[in-house]
Amino acid sequence: MPWEPLRDLRAWQERLERLSAHHPEAWTPPIDVYETTDRFVVSAELPGLAREDIELAVDISRLTIRGRRLERPADAPVVRHFHRVERGHGAFARTFEFAVAIEVAAVTADLSDGVLTVTLPKAAAPFRQIEVQ
């Protein structure tokens, strides 16, 4: 696999973000990002989150996903003693920067079976005919 400095830098940045969580309840959901010829697709595992727990923001070439998973539902009985805690809870935020502009008005998001799928169509590159003088 050829060395791609920007990809490697992004991977290190994401690792540091996970390690530098200042709050013991911080968590980072696993996310896949892939590209086709006409779109980017971001898929995030968000089990236990409802649509109203998730916030998406998109601008010209950036997607931010924010959310919050509560430790336990408000109506759940008080837990006295955990034997093991492996599931993350609390607030999270992830931002993804894309190399090309996004068609912001055409972005869609679907939450199904605990997986959020955000489809970000690429903006059509402006075409201009240049007349040679």
Side-chain angles (χ1 to χ4, degrees):
M1 174 181 273
W3 182 55
E4 294 182 30
L6 291 177
R7 182 196 64 214
D8 294 345
L9 181 60
R10 174 68 71 194
W12 275 105
Q13 178 185 6
E14 289 177 4
R15 286 184 195 125
L16 288 172
E17 286 172 0
R18 287 188 202 122
L19 291 173
S20 67
H22 294 103
H23 197 281
E25 295 182 346
W27 68 292
T28 303
I31 295 179
D32 293 336
V33 180
Y34 68 88
E35 177 181 2
T36 66
T37 56
D38 65 342
R39 70 192 66 214
F40 294 99
V41 178
V42 177
S43 181
E45 291 182 13
L46 301 174
L49 270 73
R51 286 170 176 78
E52 55 271 5
D53 299 327
I54 302 166
E55 176 188 321
L56 301 176
V58 181
D59 67 17
I60 295 171
S61 64
R62 184 181 334 195
L63 167 69
T64 299
I65 303 172
R66 287 187 178 86
R68 178 182 263 319
R69 181 163 57 202
L70 299 176
E71 180 178 345
R72 63 181 187 271
D75 59 348
V78 175
V79 176
R80 302 279 183 204
H81 176 73
F82 283 102
H83 289 271
R84 185 173 206 84
V85 177
E86 294 183 358
R87 294 184 52 212
H89 55 275
F92 73 89
R94 298 286 305 271
T95 298
F96 301 91
E97 188 85 31
F98 301 102
V100 298
I102 301 301
E103 189 65 51
V104 175
V107 172
T108 61
D110 176 61
L111 180 64
S112 179
D113 296 328
V115 177
L116 173 69
T117 303
V118 183
T119 304
L120 304 112
K122 296 176 184 177
F127 177 77
R128 188 176 129 206
Q129 185 88 24
I130 308 296
E131 184 178 323
V132 178
Q133 300 289 323

